[in-house]
Every structure is written in C-alpha cells, then in structure tokens.
Amino acid sequence: MQASDSAISANSPNASALPSTTALCDAVDREFAQSTKRLCDFLRIPSVSTDPAFDGETRRCAEWLVDALRALGFTAEAANTIGHPMVVAHHPGVGPDAASRPRVLYYGHYDVQPADPLELWTSPPFEPAIVDGPRGTRVVARGAVDDKGQVMGIVEALRAWHALAGGPPCPVTLMIEGEEESGSKSLEPFMHEAKARLAADVCVVSDTGMWDVTTPAITTRLRGLVYMEVTVHGPTRDLHSGMYGGAVPNPINVLAQILAGLHDDERRVTIPGFYDGVGELPASTKAQWESLGFSDSEFLGEIGLSAGFGERGRSTLERTWSRPTCDVNGIFGGYTGKGAKTVIAAHATAKVSFRLVSKQDPAKIARAFEEFVRSRLPVGCSASFESHGANAAIEVSESSRYLAAADAGLKAVFGKAPLLIGTGGSIPAVGSIQRILGMDSLLVGFGLDDDCVHSPNEKFELACYQNAIRSHACILREFAQLSR
Ligand code: BES
Ligand code: ZN
C-alpha cells in the first residue's frame, strides 16, 4: 500500500503543521507488531454481552479499553448503564488550532457474539491465533473483526497521533458500547443523558466491510431489523403422539405451516403491508452497483453454493442491500435429544427476523407479523410474542465534506478511492446517533465477506488491520484541515 499526501492536504494552509500521511503511516507500521499484540490482549477477554455468565469479563474488557485510552492522554471511564458499561473517552486535541477543527466522535463495540458452536473452531475462540492464510497472516478469534479489531484500528491510529504530535489534531470523543450484539438497550438512555459530552461534528463508525482486500469502501446504507420470538401453545401438556396424534393441533406442525406461509412462490414476504414504504432503487444507484463488478460466484462459492436464492428477478446485491427479507433464525420444541420419542409437544417456538429497507416502519411490521400468526392459528392454539429489537433502515448522505475527507484519507493509504456501498447488516446505533445527536455517521470499515462474522473461526486479516489503523490516522488528518 502506498502512502502519499492527498490533494486536499497539499493545498490546505492548515496542513503544514500536521504530520504528513507518510509520517503517519510510517509511525503505524513501526508500531504494528505491538498493535497486534495489544489486539490479541483485547481479544483474550471474552466479552459475550448476551450471556450473563460473562458479565464480569465484559466489564473487565471495558476497563481494559479505558486503561488503553488513558495511556494515550484521554480522560476515559467505563460508565455504568442499565446494562453493560459504556466506554466514553475524550481528548480536547493538541495545539491552539484544535478547538477550531471538527469534533470527531468514534463509535464501535467491545462486546462479541457467543462463540458457539465451540467444536467447529480450529483454535479456542478466546485464545487469538496468528495463522497464515491465502491473503497473508490473519488473527483468528471471536470479535477479531466484529468489532474489536476495528475498535483497535481507531485506538492504534490515535496512538500514532500520540507518538507524532502528542495527541489527536481534533477534539476526539469515543463511545464504545458493550451491548451492540445483544440489543443495545442502554445506548439510547445513555446518549440522552450524556448528550452534551457526546456533542461532535461528525461520527465515524468502524463496524462494516471493505469491497475487497485492496479496495476500501464507505457504507452509506444499512438495513433495519425487527427480531421477534413467537411461541405457539396447544394442549396443556405434552401428549403421546399415538393416543392423540391426528386428533389435536400439534403446535410444531402449526408453527411450521405458518412459517412456511411467510413467503410466496416469488419468494416475497406475504405479510399484508410488508412492502409499504419500500422504494425502487434510483436508476443511478442501480447503475453504480452494476458497475462494481460484484462476483456472485465468489460470494456464493466461498460458502459452498452455486446459485443464489431470494426474491425473483433481483441481483444478489439488490437482495442484500436494498430489499427487505424474512428469515427464521432458530426453531425449537418437542423432543430434540438422541433417538426417538413419540410426543406432541405443548409448545413450539421460532425466532424470526426481518431485515428492513427504506421507509418500512419497524413497529408496524412487528404488529403485522403478530396478526399474521394469530389469524392462522387453529382453534385450541394461542401464540405469545417477545420482541428482541426493532430498528429502521438507515441511509447516510453521500455528499458531505466529511465523506470527501474520508475519501481523501483512504486514497492516501490505498492509492485508490473508496467505493460507496450498502450492507445487509444492521448497526442500530447509527440511527440513534442520527436521531439523538443529530449527526450522520461515516461508516468506514475494514472487514471482508469471508471473515466469518458471528461464525466459528472469525478472523481479521492483519493487512486489513494495518490498513484500518493507517486509514483512521490519515482520515483524522483530513478532518483536521476542515474548519468546524
Ligand atoms: N458489524 C455488524 C453489522 C454488519 C454486519 C455490518 C455485516 C456489515 C456487514 C454488527 O455487529 C452486527 O452484527 N449487527 C447486528 C445487529 C443486531 C444484533 C441488532 C446484525 O446485523 O445482525
Ligand atoms: Zn456483529
């Protein structure tokens, strides 16, 4: 990767006092072996937010991060919330110019998904392994890319600034949460309460992906998410399936039939009103996506598939970036042990999630799903519901001066401009930041499609980690040349 001074910085009167992009990248590279060691230390702490058995470790992880930021001159704390601690840190920026430069808020998360199924890992999930792969060396551990490696991309960039200039050139605040993977229930209450402390001019989020290992990307659309758990209740107790089978409603059969009815033959979702608010893509966006040269065979081949599957007449990119979907994420009930047990279970449960786009209303979709299920229950069955979150889709501006600055910073590192992309995933915090703090986020991420996020053997390519650090360092340099 090359490091060169970008066009913006060369022309800016504000740039002369700043370290050059080459100096920043060199500082990052000199420190990189240590940066990798620190990432491994961070990864060793099993901060699984959804499982109370890990609460102590999750707090320890927050405190680890606080210590790392204090060592870089930040005031930092692991603030108590109704859930896991929120790491908040602040640095006023170095030098007399800092106060007139944009205030930057960084968002990320230090919590991770559960590691199971454990037996599918090639090395223990919380003992980071540095191994060789086809693209060079990678670190394998739960949270490697989602999101600890990316959070460390920011922390280590701030370290480079600390080494070269005594601290960041702009006022910097970090808000790193510990509940992103489990519903972020503390995030909005915390943001309301800490609004003044979190005030900034731009928010940078590093929890998304690149286009490929040599091509950076800025994500401008995220899908929303409605996650529901439904339980169908039938007879008052489990029954002998010979004595009762065929004469009573079987909750598992009933649930299976309802779930099967969620899609039609065109693979569209059949819930009435589901597509309300879903717009067609502007022709220009469609053309831009077509020009990206996305390879179905690479995307699908890597997961052992030869053909895609989804709404008919749509490309894979359209299906994942711009169309709403419904997926059953888990289903259970009855006898699931070894061997056979002839039983009709009293209950059956499914976890069902919907990815949303455009203006779809999460609350309306949750209600419509409940109605869809209830209206299909036979006499004698009832259903209960639990919500595990509801967030609308998000689009961020593609034409802000901060995006132009990020573009320049990424160009300096990669030697080419980032692509503007969408993602099928969701980051609820981006919506909260828009609503509560009144700011668009700049989503600059360094993951790859084959990083196995949420799966066994999650990894982060060290090349991506190094470029993440360089990029955050150089993007901050570009921000420093903008006035507030
Ligand atoms: N980093 C992901 C979001 C993501 C995934 C972005 C893939 C780009 C590509 C984030 O940590 C995540 O997993 N989000 C959850 C949100 C949910 C738990 C509310 C998701 O998308 O399932
Ligand atoms: Zn995740």
Side-chain angles (χ1 to χ4, degrees):
M1 299 301 126
Q2 75 199 63
S4 62
D5 286 345
S6 68
I8 291 188
S9 38
N11 297 333
S12 164
N14 223 349
S16 53
L18 299 170
S20 68
T21 55
T22 311
L24 282 165
C25 290
D26 287 350
V28 169
D29 297 351
R30 276 197 301 277
E31 190 63 21
F32 188 62
Q34 292 303 315
S35 303
T36 304
K37 280 212 176 94
R38 281 185 288 269
L39 171 58
C40 289
D41 290 343
F42 195 30
L43 289 168
R44 246 174 238 120
I45 311 175
S47 48
V48 181
S49 59
T50 198
D51 184 348
F54 292 88
D55 282 2
E57 295 291 353
T58 303
R59 169 164 287 280
R60 189 162 72 86
C61 190
E63 281 161 3
W64 185 94
L65 196 52
V66 165
D67 289 344
L69 289 163
R70 283 188 184 148
L72 301 177
F74 279 70
T75 52
E77 63 163 328
N80 287 324
T81 67
I82 48 172
H84 296 296
M86 179 74 74
V87 174
V88 219
H90 184 72
H91 195 298
V94 166
D97 293 336
S100 61
R101 292 173 174 159
R103 297 160 300 174
V104 186
L105 174 69
Y106 290 98
Y107 165 84
H109 61 97
Y110 67 83
D111 65 321
V112 301
Q113 286 275 331
D116 16 345
L118 289 177
E119 65 281 9
L120 296 183
W121 285 77
T122 52
S123 51
F126 297 107
E127 289 173 27
I130 305 287
V131 296
D132 288 331
R135 294 202 197 94
T137 312
R138 49 177 63 171
V139 54
V140 178
R142 170 55 85 231
V145 63
D146 183 11
D147 184 33
K148 286 177 169 172
Q150 304 216 49
V151 167
M152 287 303 283
I154 296 164
V155 172
E156 295 299 304
L158 293 168
R159 188 182 304 281
W161 275 97
H162 181 74
L164 291 185
C170 305
V172 167
T173 304
L174 289 95
M175 172 174 70
I176 311 292
E177 75 160 313
E179 299 180 334
E180 197 271 352
E181 301 290 12
S182 57
S184 298
K185 67 174 179 297
S186 309
L187 182 69
E188 292 209 351
F190 179 82
M191 280 171 60
H192 280 295
E193 178 222 312
K195 202 170 161 178
R197 263 202 292 168
L198 300 172
D201 301 293
V202 60
C203 178
V204 176
V205 175
S206 199
D207 193 20
T208 49
M210 300 172 61
W211 178 252
D212 62 32
V213 70
T214 59
T215 316
I218 296 177
T219 299
T220 59
R221 332 165 143 245
L222 293 153
R223 288 198 290 190
L225 183 68
V226 166
Y227 201 123
M228 301 287 285
E229 183 162 331
V230 52
T231 301
V232 171
H233 311 275
T236 53
R237 61 179 168 83
D238 286 6
L239 304 171
H240 189 291
S241 67
M243 281 173 72
Y244 292 90
V248 298
N250 174 334
I252 299 179
N253 294 8
V254 169
L255 180 61
Q257 190 171 9
I258 293 173
L259 296 177
L262 282 165
H263 292 92
D264 66 15
D265 291 345
E266 296 297 300
R267 299 179 200 132
R268 285 168 63 91
V269 177
T270 54
I271 297 173
F274 184 75
Y275 290 92
D276 290 356
V278 178
E280 279 301 321
L281 277 183
S284 56
T285 309
K286 214 169 166 174
Q288 189 241 337
W289 290 4
E290 275 159 18
S291 76
L292 291 173
F294 179 80
S295 159
D296 259 18
S297 59
E298 249 175 65
F299 180 72
L300 298 168
E302 188 259 318
I303 48 171
L305 299 175
S306 57
F309 186 90
E311 228 184 305
R312 276 192 217 284
R314 307 270 179 190
S315 69
T316 300
L317 281 191
E318 271 183 278
R319 285 170 175 169
T320 54
W321 292 359
S322 72
R323 298 300 298 171
T325 55
C326 165
D327 277 292
V328 180
N329 297 118
I331 181 163
F332 52 95
Y335 183 66
T336 57
K338 284 198 168 56
K341 179 185 180 192
T342 47
V343 67
I344 293 173
H347 312 279
T349 300
K351 293 175 187 282
V352 183
S353 68
F354 301 89
R355 296 281 169 178
L356 312 188
V357 302
S358 330
K359 304 264 178 290
Q360 277 179 302
D361 176 348
K364 200 177 115 184
I365 284 178
R367 280 196 304 274
F369 172 64
E370 291 193 15
E371 179 51 32
F372 181 92
V373 173
R374 288 214 166 92
S375 67
R376 282 162 178 74
L377 292 171
V379 174
C381 283
S382 63
S384 55
F385 298 86
E386 190 183 347
S387 165
H388 295 297
N391 297 283
I394 291 152
E395 285 178 32
V396 297
S397 161
E398 298 198 339
S399 61
S400 77
R401 60 197 190 116
Y402 297 110
L403 191 136
D407 187 281
L410 290 166
K411 250 187 225 151
V413 172
F414 288 90
K416 57 178 157 177
L419 300 177
L420 297 182
I421 64 169
T423 177
S426 311
I427 307 177
V430 175
S432 311
I433 291 164
Q434 236 171 20
R435 273 191 309 280
I436 301 171
L437 303 180
M439 243 183 309
D440 263 1
S441 293
L442 197 55
L443 296 144
V444 189
F446 298 91
L448 299 176
D449 284 343
D450 69 356
D451 280 344
C452 300
V453 277
H454 296 198
S455 309
N457 305 314
E458 178 178 349
K459 56 99 175 158
F460 197 20
E461 300 289 341
L462 289 186
C464 293
Y465 180 41
Q466 191 163 7
N467 280 328
I469 306 172
R470 289 172 175 161
S471 299
H472 285 299
C474 290
I475 290 171
L476 195 51
R477 182 179 186 281
E478 299 298 327
F479 288 161
Q481 293 161 70
L482 302 174
S483 55
R484 205 160 133 185

